Amino acid sequence: MAKSLQSIRGMHDVLPEDSPRWQAFEETVRRLMISYAYSEIRTPIVESTDLFCRSIGEVTDIVEKEMYTFDDRNGDRLTLRPEGTASCVRAGIQHGILHNQIRRLWYMGPMFRHERPQKGRYRQFHQLGVEAFGIADADIDAELIIMTARLWRELGLKDLRLELNTLGSAESRAKYRDVLIEYLEKHRDQLDEDSLRRVYKNPLRVLDSKNPEMATLISNAPDLHDYLDTESVEHFDNLKLYLDAAGIEYTVNPRLVRGLDYYCKTVFEWITESLGAQGTICAGGRYDGLVEQLGGKASPAAGFAIGMERMLALMEESAVAFQEKPIDVYLVPVTMTDVTRALQLAEVLRDTLPDLKIQLHCGGGSLKSQMKKADKSEAEIALIVNMDEQEHITVKYLREQKEQQLIKQDSVINFLQNRT
Ligand code: ATP
Ligand code: MG
């Protein structure tokens, strides 16, 4: 027998029994976005490699070693998107929808990173991304965080804490950079290979290292907060004020820097302890320089991304139950001659009672075998269409001890509407 084909390592199918959870999450998100007046944007999954190199930064995990990059048949260098912000900004500039205006956008879809697959870390994973363009004040940072807090509430998740930091303006980061390089140079012998490469190219990223052997070095590093400019401090103070007023708890973590190059001022992460090592569910911040960096007219911006697989795992962990809506009606055509009438009846029911879930038995079989399938479908009732009873339908209760009834076909809708 030929060897059966498998999905790519780190890329997973979502099977029918898992879909209700995904759908519940997606529906909650859609409702939430409408209530905050954010609009959906959909961009291609493949982009020019250059886009990610120029936005995420050459010296980052993503660009250095995680991108799925290939030459297409024209010899163009393309990449499966590893995140959504770059595409969103690219599309915004290309279509002139960021120019001198405020835009609140969101997107949801698959992202690709060639990482070592493990629990909560996959090669194809999904993100919900939310981005707000054109607002420089901390009120929008607060709105984004308040929105995430509402999402956790609506999904019934409690086990999440918020970590907050400010990276300051580009200028204050430059000042801090020099001090940090000096510190790292002094402790060269304690740096791992990745960090050694980053000392001069992107020293702040050294603070983002997940290597436990570097934890002490990182915790003794000079504090970015000592180098902040007054505007960034004020921005951060305002954000904290808004969050306090909204009753959102947080801890300020001065070591929190984000993996991507383009962040400034606010950065934040929502973290859970319930999922082991991959505990960051949501990460975001401000990226005022990115639009200009990618060729647009300068526009302040802030946003976040939620890792959907981690989010769904947390929903499961928190025992938030999602089940597929059960079938309401199972339609049974007794003979081949009854199929036409059953097909028609099913359509009439779907026209008039669109909320009902109706399954029509297809593929024939004896009444007995059809009724077995009806029972297995977990439908509430079966409607039996039988040519011997023209104009009538037999109602059989599948879950309750009730006598079956014969009702006129033109009263079926009425019957279904009024059933208890
Ligand atoms: P990490 O530090 O876990 O690698 P990151 O900083 O690379 O995360 P971001 O680029 O900020 O992550 O992406 C935002 C969110 O997307 C993460 O907080 C996480 O929930 C999710 N995410 C990132 N990479 C993966 C992955 N490989 N598999 C599943 N989810 C992921
Ligand atoms: Mg990563």
Side-chain angles (χ1 to χ4, degrees), residues 61-62 66 113 115 121 125 205 208 210 259-260 310:
D61 282 347
I62 294 181
E66 294 174 0
R113 297 185 193 178
E115 303 198 63
R121 195 174 287 288
F125 63 100
R205 289 275 294 122
D208 197 28
K210 307 272 178 330
L260 316 183
R310 293 184 194 178

Side-chain angles (χ1 to χ4, degrees), residues 2 10 92 119 126 141 157 230 379:
K119 187 174 172 242
H126 296 74
D141 308 29
L157 302 175
T230 47

Side-chain angles (χ1 to χ4, degrees), residues 62 66 83 113 115 120-123 125 127 210 258-260 269 278 280-283 305-307 309-310:
I62 294 181
E66 294 174 0
E83 56 107 46
R113 297 185 193 178
E115 303 198 63
R121 195 174 287 288
Y122 311 102
R123 290 181 173 175
F125 63 100
Q127 281 184 344
K210 307 272 178 330
R258 303 277 314 115
L260 316 183
E269 288 191 358
Q278 267 54 253
T280 303
I281 299 290
C282 169
I306 291 176
E309 280 78 2
R310 293 184 194 178

Side-chain angles (χ1 to χ4, degrees), residues 1 46 124 127 130 140 148 151 162-163 189 193 211 235 248 256 285 309 312 329 338 351 368 393:
M1 208 171 79
V46 183
Q124 173 175 319
Q127 281 184 344
V130 180
I140 191 70
T148 52
L151 182 59
L162 175 63
E163 288 199 358
D189 52 323
E193 202 184 312
N211 184 350
H235 187 98
I248 294 182
L256 180 72
E309 280 78 2
L312 292 164
V329 174
D338 297 311
D351 283 341
K368 196 172 160 209
I393 300 288

